[in-house]
Amino acid sequence: NIVLIDVREAAEVAQGVIPTSHHVPLASIQEALSLPEKEFEERFGFKKFNKDDEVIFYCRSGRRSGMAYEVAKQLGYTGVRNYSGSWLDYDAKTKVQK
């Protein structure tokens, strides 16, 4: 199971999301990843992932998700990745398929 984390701001998220993703704004990433499981779930509405789970961060273009990736790595998360194309890439690819 891959956990997909959208680190954009709420106004950006309102414009569309990648299905199955969860929202944790970049400004909250360091605190969120440091929270105990129960507190994390209460605050963000989904189960906190383990440090070795496969987690992919995305934002609008890849810059902020890269920052989230770096924070997670520094906190000992080993299964994290950055979707470098992020929302712009996903949106362009899904529009072509329609």
Side-chain angles (χ1 to χ4, degrees):
N1 282 351
I2 297 172
V3 181
L4 192 55
I5 306 291
D6 186 338
V7 299
R8 298 175 298 164
E9 295 300 319
E12 295 172 287
V13 172
Q15 297 171 7
V17 296
I18 298 176
T20 75
S21 67
H22 301 284
H23 182 228
V24 180
L26 177 61
S28 302
I29 283 291
Q30 182 145 359
E31 178 190 4
L33 297 181
S34 301
L35 288 173
E37 286 183 33
K38 186 176 184 208
E39 223 177 303
F40 179 94
E41 191 168 350
E42 287 171 0
R43 182 154 172 207
F44 296 101
F46 67 101
K47 186 179 181 325
K48 187 177 181 184
F49 42 89
N50 296 315
K51 290 195 173 191
D52 60 347
D53 286 347
E54 191 169 4
V55 177
I56 301 173
F57 294 106
Y58 80 93
C59 60
R60 181 182 161 275
S61 63
R63 185 176 158 274
R64 288 173 287 175
S65 55
M67 294 166 72
Y69 164 84
E70 290 298 332
V71 168
K73 290 295 267 188
Q74 289 172 2
L75 292 173
Y77 286 82
T78 58
V80 293
R81 297 192 336 227
N82 174 29
Y83 179 4
S84 60
S86 282
W87 173 252
L88 293 177
D89 179 63
Y90 173 82
D91 191 42
K93 286 179 179 175
T94 56
K95 283 180 180 172
V96 168
Q97 293 174 359
K98 291 180 183 173

